[in-house]
């Protein structure tokens, strides 16, 4: 043990003289632990030992020998230090923090408590409030500390008259290391002492008596002038020791008789002058636990009173040590809470109806839990969420730092066979699976979904919240706006687009000197480069920081980007299906001085910023990716980036909230992250890396994170593995491959399926031959997953028209094709209960060792990576590059981008490039019409044929059915 504790004990042993309490400085200063402190010493308990000269030193003949207080304190502190060391061996970054809120200038043994805490290895932060602080001001500080996840214990150094019930019960019971709250007292009275904090002062009294050799069994104990938690705790503890406990106030008429009967007297408040000490019998042990005594403002008993045994001077130091012990216990409980555990989740009950109502009727019939309750159930702290309304919240990325030592759960990807235009229900299967895992098997699980674009919501496809009794709720909030992430992407994207054209205009209409002077203006006589401009100078090899020091050539080089308008790849975006924005002319106003050019709008989710959001793993990484985005080439063929345009910081500001995943829930009250929604053709079509990483930490070891890949497995799954997993470093454990009898019949030669047109009878009547013939596509998709070494579980999404023979046939053929298992799923009609078999199959498959591998090495030439995907995944004979595609590949390779993964932009309706070729096309040549780059996101995307990035509206869009009830404000018609 260091010299701190012996020094403290020696100081306490010296005689001290009464006097006014030392005034603490009014200003708080940072402590060594990084908190704020007051005075030269910051204490935990804040109690000062009464000098021996004030306490009265005479003891009666039958009085017990004085306890070895110093050894007790040493033992407690040493034990606390050892326990904390063991905890820190497992979690090296863990160091408990005690916050002390003080109102007024009480000198409450500051130095002693600071030294005891340092000896045990704790940190302290001290909050000083004025003495006149009111109840609301004190509670405000308490509430802040309650929500600070860095603080594990909270003590109050406040005048006893100010300790109202409202203040005391504002403390979080789990941080109440003084045992003041009703919750802690209730647990103590109920007999759950191991689950609560007990008053250190009361414990110190009991400890000192027992260490003094006093047997409490049968003793008469009188507690005088105590109130609230101290009175209740003392009574409870003494009664448990077999003592006969009486409680009295100073003005009780029979006080003299009670004092004369008592073997032990505990003073809970200062003795009034009119009460003579002679009422106390010689040989009585007296403890003074009053607030004024413990703070050094009053004596215990008058000196020279013979025959009274006051060992109360030992209470304050021992209580301080016991508070340290409580702090270590609080930290240990907190660490235990961070470890993997099954959530205490209150799942919502379903009452499925038949026939199944519309999606929005089902959604509206279920009342979601308040999102703050859901967050607490899954282990999130209040300061780790930002609540939007009642049912949505953003989760802060600081959570990843807190849980960095937590083991990840199992990682499950839901993909699908080549779909019909109607979709085969990947989102529904994803939600049904997590409802089954958590609500029915009591396994921690999280669904991670993409945020849908509003374009399809008002177009043909409708929403993407799942369907039937496997949905994210409220589904209208899921499908409309959510927390504004897509709007933030739209704003950032269009700011960058505006910056490009504005820069071209200004460079075309100004001299080098004028342009430079406007880019680096003099403000209040000071001229300096901004941070991002200094970064550009460094990239240009200009090692100067003084704007006036640049040569004319350096000024020209710095000021002019010389963008070649014909190479601009950055388009404006809007989150609406608007076919007439597919090609436009901009800059036609006379004010643009002839700087017009052809351009286009894309749907917002096609923006590279959306792909950046989906692949980033931190705010720092996102900023770097945004800065790297290439928007065009200059006239020398060099890339022009967002950093060159000086807009990176502004883009990051617009995206600072969008980077936080959005927390929602399923119909059965299980958690869902909805975050990012990149296009599944020109981008990778997966939800965000950050949502997956946070979810994997929250479910913990033994839990499951289920995420979804857009389109068929040949597109979404391939990109998930080769792009997303490469960026995240995460290793998938299982692929759930979604199939439907309907889609298999289509691949077996059934008639075409068109959205909005009733299905032909082949799809509504049993046809085993069509099903068997179509299973070739299912077999091919299983083989694609096996290329990556991941086991496959086939989930047959059952429709009411499917027959038992068709279902059994699909499951049998899937197993023969190499699937680990194949099970029918009924979540759409009955919720998670209908996917319990799928959940068991996934758990079993996930228990097998993963042999995951990438399909190709990114160091291969771009052409070879494209060919590998075309041949191994799609089944093509070879690829054919257009001259434009070859030119782009040469340019990107020369610019240093040849080592990026490939993101193929291809139709999702066929394994080939021709949407009408169903089943498993063979022997085809895959045409590559163009190649583009998303350098910030980190991939090259070849275009297979023509690829629209702006959907159009059909003859009868979904918006015909969408309306608002103006009385109830309920949305109608969404699906």
């Amino acid at each position: 043990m260091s010299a701190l504790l012996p020094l403290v004990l020696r100081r306490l042993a010296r005689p001290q003289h009464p006097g006014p309490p030392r005034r603490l400085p009014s200003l708080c200063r940072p402590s060594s632990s990084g908190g704020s402190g007051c005075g030269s010493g910051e204490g935990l308990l804040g109690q000062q030992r009464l000098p021996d000269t004030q306490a009265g030193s005479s003891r009666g003949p039958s009085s017990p020998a004085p306890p070895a207080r110093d050894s007790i304190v040493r033992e407690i502190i040493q034990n606390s230090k050892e326990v904390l060391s063991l905890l820190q061996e497992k979690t090296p970054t863990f160091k408990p923090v005690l916050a002390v809120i003080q109102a007024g200038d009480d000198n409450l043994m500051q130095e002693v408590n600071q030294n005891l805490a340092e000896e045990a290895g704790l940190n302290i932060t001290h909050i000083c409030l004025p003495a006149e602080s009111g109840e609301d001001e004190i509670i405000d500080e308490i509430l802040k500390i309650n929500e600070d996840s860095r603080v594990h214990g909270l003590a109050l150094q406040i005048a006893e008259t100010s300790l109202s019930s409202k203040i005391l019960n504002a403390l979080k019971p789990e941080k109440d290391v003084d045992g003041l709250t009703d919750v802690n007292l209730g647990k103590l009275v109920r007999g759950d002492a191991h689950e609560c904090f007990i008053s250190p002062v009361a414990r110190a009294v009991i400890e000192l008596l027992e260490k003094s050799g006093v047997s409490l069994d049968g003793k008469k104990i009188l507690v005088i002038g105590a109130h609230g938690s101290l009175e209740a705790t003392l009574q409870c503890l003494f009664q448990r020791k077999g003592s006969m406990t009486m409680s009295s106030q100073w003005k009780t008429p029979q006080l003299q008789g009670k004092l004369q009967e008592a073997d032990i007297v505990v003073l809970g408040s200062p003795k009034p002058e009119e009460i003579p000490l002679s009422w106390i019998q010689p040989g009585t042990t007296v403890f003074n636990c009053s607030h004024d005594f413990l703070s050094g403002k009053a004596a215990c008993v008058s000196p020279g009173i013979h025959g009274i045994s006051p060992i109360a001077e030992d209470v304050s130091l021992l209580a301080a040590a016991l508070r340290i012990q409580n702090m270590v216990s609080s930290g240990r409980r907190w660490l235990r809470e961070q470890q993997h555990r099954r959530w205490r989740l209150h799942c919502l009950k379903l009452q499925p109806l038949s026939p199944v109502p519309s999606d929005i009727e089902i959604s509206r019939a279920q009342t979601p839990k308040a999102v703050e309750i859901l967050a607490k159930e899954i282990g999130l702290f209040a300061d780790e969420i930002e609540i939007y309304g009642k049912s949505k919240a953003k989760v802060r990325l600081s959570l990843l730092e807190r849980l960095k030592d937590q083991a990840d759960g199992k990682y499950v990807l839901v993909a699908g066979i080549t779909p019909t235009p109607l979709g085969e229900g990947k989102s529904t299967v994803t939600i049904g699976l997590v409802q089954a895992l958590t609500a029915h098997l009591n396994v921690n699980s999280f669904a991670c979904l993409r945020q849908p674009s509003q374009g399809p919501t008002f177009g043909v496809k409708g929403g993407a919240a799942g369907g039937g009794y496997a949905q994210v709720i409220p589904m209208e909030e899921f499908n409309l706006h959510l927390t504004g992430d897509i709007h933030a992407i739209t704003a950032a994207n269009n700011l960058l687009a505006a910056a490009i054209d504005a820069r071209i205009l200004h460079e075309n209409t100004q001299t080098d000197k004028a342009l430079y002077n406007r880019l680096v203006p003099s403000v209040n006589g000071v001229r300096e480069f901004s941070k991002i401009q200094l970064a550009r100078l460094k990239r240009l090899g200009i090692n100067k920081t003084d704007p006036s020091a640049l040569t004319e050539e350096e000024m020209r080089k710095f000021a002019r980007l010389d963008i070649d308008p014909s190479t601009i790849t950055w388009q404006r975006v809007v989150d609406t299906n608007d076919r007439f924005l597919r090609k436009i002319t901009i800059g036609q106003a006379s004010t643009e001085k002839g700087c017009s050019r052809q351009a286009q709008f894309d749907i917002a989710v096609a923006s590279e910023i959306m792909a950046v959001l989906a692949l980033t793993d931190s705010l720092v990484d996102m900023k770097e990716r945004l800065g790297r985005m290439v928007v065009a080439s200059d006239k020398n063929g060099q890339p022009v980036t967002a950093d060159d345009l000086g807009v990176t910081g502004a883009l990051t500001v617009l995206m600072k909230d969008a980077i936080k995943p959005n927390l929602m829930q399923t119909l059965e009250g299980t958690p869902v992250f909805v975050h990012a929604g990149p296009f599944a053709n020109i981008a990778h079509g997966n939800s965000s890396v950050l949502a997956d990483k946070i979810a994997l930490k929250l479910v913990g070891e033994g839990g499951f994170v289920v995420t979804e890949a857009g389109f068929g497995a040949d597109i979404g799954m391939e990109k998930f593995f080769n792009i997303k997993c490469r960026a995240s470093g995460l290793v998938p454990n299982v692929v759930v491959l979604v199939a439907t009898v309907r889609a298999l019949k289509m691949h077996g030669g059934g008639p075409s399926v068109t959205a909005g047109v009733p299905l032909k009878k082949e799809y509504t009547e049993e046809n085993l031959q069509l099903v068997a013939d179509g299973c070739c596509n299912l077999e091919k998709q299983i083989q694609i997953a096996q290329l990556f070494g991941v086991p496959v579980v086939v989930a047959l999404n059952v429709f009411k028209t499917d027959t038992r023979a068709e279902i059994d046939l699909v499951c049998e053929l899937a197993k023969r094709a190499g699937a680990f298992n194949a099970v029918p799923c009924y979540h759409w009609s009955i919720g998670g209960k209908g996917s319990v078999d799928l959940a068991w199959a996934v758990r079993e498959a996930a228990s097998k060792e993963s042999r995951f591998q990438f399909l190709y090495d990114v160091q291969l030439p771009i052409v070879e990576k494209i060919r590998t995907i075309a041949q191994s995944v799609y089944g093509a004979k070879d690829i054919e590059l257009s001259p434009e595609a070859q030119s782009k590949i040469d340019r990107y390779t020369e610019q240093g981008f040849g080592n990026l993964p490939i993101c193929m932009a291809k139709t999702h309706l066929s394994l080939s490039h021709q949407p009408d070729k169903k089943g498993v096309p063979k022997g085809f040549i895959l045409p590559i019409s163009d190649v583009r780059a998303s350098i910030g996101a980190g991939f090259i995307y070849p275009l297979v044929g023509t690829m629209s990035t702006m959907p159009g509206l059909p003859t009868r869009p979904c918006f015909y059915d969408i309306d608002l009830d103006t009385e109830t404000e309920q949305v109608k018609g969404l699906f």
Side-chain angles (χ1 to χ4, degrees), residues 36-252:
S36 62
C38 298
S40 59
E42 298 160 350
L44 292 170
L45 172 69
Q47 296 173 345
Q48 181 173 328
R49 176 185 180 274
L50 186 72
D52 291 340
T53 55
Q54 290 180 293
S57 57
S58 300
R59 299 181 187 270
S62 61
S63 298
R69 179 203 61 190
D70 292 3
S71 64
I72 301 173
V73 172
R74 286 175 184 274
E75 181 182 346
I76 291 171
I77 295 301
Q78 182 62 27
N79 178 263
S80 298
K81 183 177 182 178
E82 290 172 358
V83 171
L84 185 56
S85 295
L86 289 173
L87 295 175
Q88 289 172 334
E89 282 181 14
K90 297 180 180 179
T91 312
T93 58
F94 174 64
K95 195 166 188 180
V97 176
L98 174 73
V100 181
I101 297 177
Q102 175 180 327
D105 57 0
D106 283 354
N107 176 11
L108 304 180
M109 209 165 116
Q110 293 290 319
E111 186 177 359
V112 171
N113 285 278
Q114 177 73 33
N115 289 335
L116 289 179
E118 289 180 2
E119 187 68 35
L122 302 177
N123 283 343
I124 298 177
T125 182
H126 209 97
I127 297 96
C128 300
L129 299 177
E132 64 275 11
S133 296
E135 184 177 71
D136 290 341
E137 294 171 273
I138 296 170
I139 290 175
D140 283 345
E141 293 298 331
I142 291 173
L143 295 179
K144 291 176 187 176
I145 297 297
N146 282 348
E147 305 309 326
D148 190 338
S149 60
R150 299 167 299 177
V151 175
H152 306 91
L154 175 57
L156 301 178
Q157 293 180 358
I158 298 169
E160 192 171 16
T161 54
S162 299
L163 288 175
S164 66
S165 175
K166 187 176 178 181
I167 287 178
L168 295 179
N169 287 298
L171 277 72
K172 268 191 174 179
E174 57 266 34
K175 294 188 179 185
D176 171 29
V177 292
D178 280 339
L180 301 174
T181 60
D182 290 348
V183 171
N184 279 318
L185 285 171
K187 289 181 177 179
L188 173 64
V189 171
R190 196 173 59 212
D192 297 329
H194 62 286
E195 294 182 5
C196 67
F197 290 115
I198 302 174
S199 164
V201 175
R203 284 180 60 201
V205 171
I206 301 293
E207 187 81 13
L208 286 169
L209 282 167
E210 291 184 330
K211 293 292 185 182
S212 302
V214 175
S215 173
L216 294 175
D217 188 26
K219 287 288 190 297
K220 294 181 180 179
I221 313 291
L222 179 61
V223 179
I224 310 176
H227 303 277
S229 60
L230 179 60
E231 178 185 15
T233 304
L234 285 168
Q235 285 186 343
C236 186
L237 294 179
F238 278 126
Q239 286 171 2
R240 296 235 172 109
K241 297 293 183 180
S243 304
M244 294 179 288
T245 308
M246 301 176 288
S247 185
S248 177
Q249 297 305 314
W250 288 111
K251 295 184 179 180
T252 300

Side-chain angles (χ1 to χ4, degrees), residues 665-723:
Q665 63 193 281
T666 68
L667 275 168
E668 297 191 54
T670 67
V672 180
F673 274 142
V674 186
H675 197 220
F679 241 29
N681 47 29
I682 68 166
H684 61 293
N686 305 138
S687 60
S688 77
V689 166
L690 277 169
D692 291 357
K693 285 191 169 185
I694 292 174
L696 285 164
K697 293 297 183 186
L698 287 170
V699 299
E701 191 173 8
F704 287 80
V705 170
V706 184
T707 190
E708 173 198 349
F711 294 160
D714 57 305
I715 299 179
M717 183 184 71
E718 180 272 316
K719 295 174 181 179
F720 175 87
F721 290 147
N722 282 321
I723 298 175

Side-chain angles (χ1 to χ4, degrees), residues 194-495:
H194 62 286
E195 294 182 5
C196 67
F197 290 115
I198 302 174
S199 164
V201 175
R203 284 180 60 201
V205 171
I206 301 293
E207 187 81 13
L208 286 169
L209 282 167
E210 291 184 330
K211 293 292 185 182
S212 302
V214 175
S215 173
L216 294 175
D217 188 26
K219 287 288 190 297
K220 294 181 180 179
I221 313 291
L222 179 61
V223 179
I224 310 176
H227 303 277
S229 60
L230 179 60
E231 178 185 15
T233 304
L234 285 168
Q235 285 186 343
C236 186
L237 294 179
F238 278 126
Q239 286 171 2
R240 296 235 172 109
K241 297 293 183 180
S243 304
M244 294 179 288
T245 308
M246 301 176 288
S247 185
S248 177
Q249 297 305 314
W250 288 111
K251 295 184 179 180
T252 300
Q254 298 84 14
L255 180 60
Q256 182 176 359
K258 291 181 178 181
L259 282 169
Q260 291 176 351
E261 293 177 10
D263 300 310
I264 298 169
V265 175
V266 180
L267 310 182
S269 59
K271 181 188 72 65
E273 291 183 5
E274 61 268 22
I275 304 296
L277 286 170
S278 60
W279 286 8
I280 301 175
Q281 291 294 317
T284 303
T285 301
V286 179
F287 283 88
N288 194 337
C289 299
S290 73
H291 179 85
D292 283 351
F293 168 71
L294 294 176
S295 63
K297 290 183 176 179
C300 175
V301 292
S302 299
I305 303 299
H306 181 73
I308 297 176
S309 173
I311 57 173
E313 65 267 22
D314 299 317
V315 173
S316 57
L317 181 63
L318 182 54
L322 289 169
R323 183 181 282 105
I324 297 292
Q325 190 178 73
N326 279 355
M327 265 299 303
V328 174
S329 296
S330 175
R332 181 167 50 191
R333 290 178 191 174
W334 183 86
L335 271 182
R336 191 164 55 239
E337 286 292 309
Q338 307 315 301
Q339 295 171 355
H340 166 63
R341 60 179 175 83
R342 287 186 176 178
W343 296 331
R344 293 184 287 272
L345 200 69
H346 168 65
C347 293
L348 305 178
K349 299 299 181 182
L350 287 182
Q351 295 179 326
L353 301 177
S354 182
V356 176
S358 69
D359 290 350
I360 196 164
E361 287 175 316
I362 294 172
S363 173
R364 192 160 291 144
Q366 186 71 290
T367 302
K369 292 180 284 190
V371 71
E372 58 266 36
I373 292 176
L374 174 64
K376 185 175 182 180
E377 288 177 337
I378 63 175
L380 290 167
F381 295 154
D383 63 346
E384 291 172 339
I385 62 171
E386 298 170 2
I387 297 174
Y388 285 66
K390 296 180 180 180
S391 54
K392 307 184 296 289
K394 281 196 165 292
V395 176
R396 293 177 179 165
L397 306 189
S398 58
L399 175 68
L400 283 172
E401 176 63 23
R402 175 170 70 86
L403 298 182
K404 65 183 179 182
D405 297 320
Q406 172 89 293
D408 286 349
K410 301 292 186 181
Y411 199 25
V412 180
L413 174 69
V414 176
I417 65 170
T418 304
T420 69
L422 306 178
E424 309 317 308
K426 293 190 303 297
S427 297
T428 311
V429 169
T430 300
I431 297 163
L433 175 55
V434 295
Q435 288 181 176
L437 284 165
T438 300
H440 298 272
L441 300 186
N442 196 28
V443 174
N444 292 358
S445 74
F446 232 112
C448 292
L449 301 176
R450 290 180 294 164
Q451 179 183 354
S453 164
Q454 289 180 173
T457 300
F458 292 100
V460 176
K461 183 177 178 292
Y469 287 99
Q471 291 188 55
V472 179
I473 57 172
M475 66 95 75
E476 60 267 43
E477 294 186 25
F478 176 94
N479 288 309
L480 303 174
H481 305 298
L482 197 58
T483 56
D485 293 352
I486 293 180
H487 301 317
I489 289 165
T490 301
N493 183 99
N494 293 343
L495 175 63

Side-chain angles (χ1 to χ4, degrees), residues 587-705:
Q588 291 185 316
S590 59
T591 50
E592 274 45 79
K593 302 177 183 178
C595 291
S596 65
R597 64 180 181 89
Q598 278 200 339
Q600 68 184 59
F601 270 79
D602 293 337
I603 192 80
V605 294
S607 170
E608 183 179 348
I609 295 178
M610 176 64 88
V612 166
L613 177 67
L615 289 170
T616 191
D617 63 7
S618 67
L619 197 56
V620 171
D621 179 62
M622 183 178 73
K623 184 176 181 180
E624 291 174 354
R625 287 176 179 267
L626 292 172
R628 290 199 303 265
M629 293 188 304
V630 174
V631 300
S633 295
D634 65 20
K635 292 172 183 175
N636 293 319
Q638 295 304 305
V640 178
T641 66
D643 261 352
D644 293 322
L645 285 158
V647 74
T648 304
L651 300 181
T652 308
V653 168
L654 287 170
M655 293 293 295
K656 70 178 180 67
D657 292 319
I659 195 175
K660 303 165 190 172
N662 304 296
L663 177 65
M664 295 188 75
Q665 63 193 281
T666 68
L667 275 168
E668 297 191 54
T670 67
V672 180
F673 274 142
V674 186
H675 197 220
F679 241 29
N681 47 29
I682 68 166
H684 61 293
N686 305 138
S687 60
S688 77
V689 166
L690 277 169
D692 291 357
K693 285 191 169 185
I694 292 174
L696 285 164
K697 293 297 183 186
L698 287 170
V699 299
E701 191 173 8
F704 287 80
V705 170

